[in-house]
């Protein structure tokens, strides 16, 4: 069976009337980006849906696999097209049913008729096509409530489209249709999922990572590079800002009581992130925190940490269960990378008994004992910015070479 088209439906995007055209342009551009390198198709974008015309079915499975991951697609269907003629539509249905001859099935005909000029009405078409199937296929019986499969018929001005499958997309909005946010990328399971969740809502996400060499390794930084590359595969280029946090973090450990060092460390991370966010034009900071998962993720801790910044702090995973987060990490292919056993700066100085309900007045008094301004300036001066794309190439502001292949990051470390 050779499909003639893939019909793409927009879902939530259809609610946007004033700027829908701009959204559709970006969705079309992103689909072309994701399908780059594949042949045998061309794209036609319309207001209510998009058509991928298939010149051949050679790459249809690869095309559909990639479409599942593109933000802005609610669902899609591989379809067969008939002429605007009932007899031709019956032949196409016969073609579709060649995969349903092996045993008994129940079916249902479901017709939509956007083309109001077509000679038959919806119920008439249901009867015509249903009768055709019952007469010619003795192994098929009607069940309108719980059928084994549905024969969907859509009568449009371009022809009669016939299909059985609705394949779920990730939904949301096309990439980069919203403003920018700066996400704290730790290397764990949660923060890449948080980045993906924001990307699906159209947010342009930049990453910031805090490393503390020699306590954190080059392998740990490579892990961050690989996660950023993976997250760039669908959305395009992503900036990663890498902060040398060693000096500031070790001073925090020396100066702050041990049960408050975790809270203070995160407060300084947000101070640094806020400065980078302002410089990059980001309107929010984002994290992968999930409520109550660890000591730093109680409401009391979040309240103390948030106090240092005037930017909104987005936590898209706040109420999600860990099993659901892991499932998304599997779907977006970041779980295996996140599980690599390399330390990050959040784990190397973890106190034995971190404060789970820190008090804001206490942490402020502890931090007020010393002047950290020079350390903050020195830390900000250490920031290196990298630009990743889906091919694993890196363009940096800090190295004379324009591109470095994914397998060799030695000169970036």
């Amino acid at each position: 069976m050779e499909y003639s088209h893939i019909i793409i439906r927009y879902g939530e995007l259809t609610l946007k009337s004033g700027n829908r055209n701009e959204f559709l342009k970006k969705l079309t551009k992103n689909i072309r980006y994701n399908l780059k390198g594949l042949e045998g198709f061309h794209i036609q974008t319309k207001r209510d849906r998009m058509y991928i015309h298939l010149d051949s079915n050679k790459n249809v499975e690869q095309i559909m696999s990639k479409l599942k991951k593109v933000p802005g697609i609610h669902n899609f269907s591989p379809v067969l097209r008939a002429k605007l003629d009932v007899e031709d539509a019956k032949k196409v249905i016969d073609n579709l049913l060649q995969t349903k001859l092996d045993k008994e099935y129940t079916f249902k005909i479901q017709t939509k008729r956007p083309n109001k000029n077509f000679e038959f009405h919806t119920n008439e078409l249901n009867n015509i096509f249903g009768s055709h199937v019952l007469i010619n296929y003795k192994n098929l019986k009607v069940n309108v409530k719980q059928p084994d499969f549905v024969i969907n018929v859509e009568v449009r001005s371009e022809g009669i489209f016939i299909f059985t499958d609705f394949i779920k997309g990730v939904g949301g909005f096309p990439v980069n249709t919203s403003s920018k946010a700066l996400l704290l990328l730790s290397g764990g399971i949660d923060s890449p999922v948080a980045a993906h969740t924001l990307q699906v809502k159209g947010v342009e996400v930049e990453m910031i990572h805090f490393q503390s060499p020699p306590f954190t390794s080059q392998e740990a930084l490579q892990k961050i590079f690989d996660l950023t590359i993976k997250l760039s595969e669908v959305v395009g280029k992503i900036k990663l800002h890498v902060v040398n946090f060693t000096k500031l973090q070790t001073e925090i450990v020396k100066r702050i009581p041990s049960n408050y060092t975790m809270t203070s460390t995160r407060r300084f991370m947000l101070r640094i992130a806020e400065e980078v966010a302002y410089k990059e034009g980001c309107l929010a900071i984002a994290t992968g925190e999930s409520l109550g998962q660890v000591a730093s993720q109680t409401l009391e801790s979040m309240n103390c940490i948030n106090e240092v910044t005037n930017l909104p702090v987005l936590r898209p995973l706040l109420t999600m269960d860990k099993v659901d987060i892991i499932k998304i990490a599997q779907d977006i292919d970041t779980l295996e990378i996140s599980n690599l056993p390399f330390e990050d700066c959040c784990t190397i100085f973890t106190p034995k008994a971190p404060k789970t309900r820190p008090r804001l007045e206490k942490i402020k008094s502890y931090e007020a004992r010393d002047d950290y301004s020079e350390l903050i300036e020195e830390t900000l001066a250490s920031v290196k910015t990298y630009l990743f794309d889906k091919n694993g190439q890196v363009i940096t502001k800090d190295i004379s070479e324009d591109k470095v292949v994914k397998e060799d990051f030695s000169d970036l470390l």
Side-chain angles (χ1 to χ4, degrees):
M1 179 171 58
E2 290 276 314
Y3 296 114
S4 62
H5 297 73
I6 297 173
I7 293 179
I8 296 173
R9 303 174 188 87
Y10 310 134
E12 191 173 2
L13 180 56
T14 60
L15 300 175
K16 300 292 183 181
S17 56
N19 52 2
R20 185 189 297 186
N21 287 342
E22 190 61 33
F23 277 43
L24 291 180
K25 287 178 184 177
K26 291 198 173 185
L27 177 59
T28 305
K29 181 179 178 180
N30 191 230
I31 290 174
R32 292 187 193 281
Y33 173 82
N34 278 272
L35 300 185
K36 189 175 181 180
L38 299 177
E39 298 176 346
F41 70 92
H42 60 279
I43 298 173
Q44 180 185 18
T45 304
K46 295 203 167 186
R47 186 170 177 80
D48 59 340
R49 60 193 56 206
M50 186 182 298
Y51 297 91
I52 297 182
H53 297 255
L54 299 171
D55 305 321
S56 75
N57 276 207
K58 178 183 176 182
N59 295 314
V60 68
E61 293 299 328
Q62 287 178 274
I63 291 171
M64 291 194 291
S65 176
K66 290 180 179 292
L67 290 178
K68 290 177 185 178
K69 299 181 179 181
V70 177
I73 296 177
H74 179 62
N75 62 48
F76 60 92
S77 301
V79 306
L80 301 174
R81 185 175 72 170
K83 300 173 185 176
L84 284 170
D85 175 77
V86 165
E87 295 305 315
D88 193 51
K90 288 179 182 179
K91 292 177 184 178
V92 171
I93 290 174
D94 289 338
N95 191 7
L96 187 70
L97 292 177
Q98 294 308 301
T99 60
K100 304 295 184 183
L101 302 177
D102 57 325
K103 62 178 183 178
E104 291 189 350
Y105 292 97
T106 58
F107 77 97
K108 172 185 175 182
I109 301 287
Q110 186 162 295
T111 302
K112 292 183 179 179
R113 183 175 161 266
N115 182 354
K116 302 304 180 185
N117 296 320
F118 193 66
E119 58 182 316
F120 297 104
H121 294 289
T122 301
N123 288 335
E124 291 175 314
L125 290 169
N126 285 335
N127 291 332
I128 290 169
F129 296 134
S131 298
H132 172 76
V133 174
L134 288 173
I135 291 170
N136 292 281
Y137 298 88
K138 302 304 181 184
N139 65 315
L140 302 182
K141 306 294 181 187
V142 173
N143 184 335
V144 295
K145 291 186 177 180
Q146 290 184 315
D148 294 323
F149 67 94
V150 177
I151 301 173
N152 295 279
V153 179
E154 291 190 5
V155 182
R156 296 183 167 271
S157 58
E158 302 90 349
I160 300 176
F161 295 93
I162 301 166
F163 58 96
T164 57
D165 298 324
F166 287 88
I167 300 171
K168 193 175 185 300
V170 295
F173 298 112
V175 297
N176 300 348
T177 50
S178 185
S179 298
K180 288 199 293 187
L182 182 67
L183 181 128
L184 277 65
L185 185 64
S186 67
I189 294 172
D190 298 345
S191 53
V193 174
H196 167 76
T197 304
L198 291 170
Q199 288 170 339
V200 168
K201 297 303 289 184
V203 178
E204 183 179 353
V205 180
E206 293 190 11
M207 315 292 185
I208 185 168
H209 173 70
F210 293 82
Q211 62 165 349
S212 292
F215 305 105
T216 58
S217 64
Q218 292 186 352
E219 290 84 358
L221 184 56
Q222 173 72 53
K223 176 180 173 180
I224 295 300
F225 289 161
D226 290 344
L227 283 171
T228 308
I229 290 166
K230 180 59 67 174
L231 289 165
S232 73
E233 286 182 356
V234 172
V235 304
K237 293 178 180 177
I238 295 179
K239 273 188 182 180
L240 169 69
H241 309 280
V242 178
V243 182
N244 189 323
F245 199 48
T246 308
K247 192 168 182 179
L248 180 51
Q249 186 172 17
T250 52
E251 288 302 315
I252 293 168
V253 172
K254 290 176 186 177
R255 301 179 188 184
I256 303 294
S258 63
N259 59 343
Y260 270 86
T261 55
M262 185 170 59
T263 304
S264 185
T265 297
R266 281 161 174 74
R267 281 166 59 88
F268 277 100
M269 283 180 173
L270 248 64
R271 287 187 177 103
I272 302 298
E274 182 183 55
E275 293 299 321
V276 175
Y278 283 137
K279 180 182 176 184
E280 295 295 321
C282 298
L283 299 185
I285 296 170
T287 76
E289 292 168 318
S290 177
L291 188 61
Q293 204 176 99
V294 295
S296 66
Q297 297 179 10
T298 62
L299 284 177
E300 289 84 356
S301 288
M302 292 180 190
N303 180 56
C304 286
I305 294 166
N306 283 13
E307 189 267 344
V308 301
T309 179
N310 291 318
L311 286 175
V313 180
L314 308 179
R315 295 181 171 92
L317 310 186
L318 187 67
T319 60
M320 290 182 65
D321 293 334
K322 189 68 174 184
V323 290
D324 297 324
I325 296 171
I326 291 172
K327 174 63 168 60
I328 296 173
Q330 289 173 327
D331 292 342
I332 63 175
D333 298 327
T334 58
L335 183 62
E336 186 176 345
I337 302 172
S338 293
N339 281 334
L340 291 173
F342 303 122
E343 66 293 315
D344 62 64
C345 72
C346 294
T347 59
I348 55 175
F349 295 119
T350 303
K352 291 182 179 180
K355 203 74 173 175
T356 59
R357 299 181 185 276
R359 292 168 56 186
L360 181 58
E361 62 273 17
K362 276 196 171 185
I363 188 63
K364 290 177 73 173
S365 69
Y366 294 148
E367 291 175 355
R369 294 173 182 174
D370 297 286
D371 182 5
Y372 292 89
S373 57
E374 287 189 12
L375 282 168
I376 291 174
E377 289 299 319
E378 188 176 337
T379 303
L380 283 167
S382 76
V383 176
K384 292 185 177 181
T385 299
Y386 304 97
L387 187 63
F388 291 80
D389 67 22
K390 69 174 181 178
N391 298 314
Q393 297 173 330
V394 181
I395 304 167
T396 80
K397 294 179 180 178
D398 308 286
I399 300 174
S400 58
E401 288 87 1
D402 283 337
K403 293 186 178 180
V404 181
V405 295
K406 176 182 177 181
E407 289 75 20
D408 182 13
F409 286 103
S410 58
D411 57 344
L412 299 179
L413 303 175

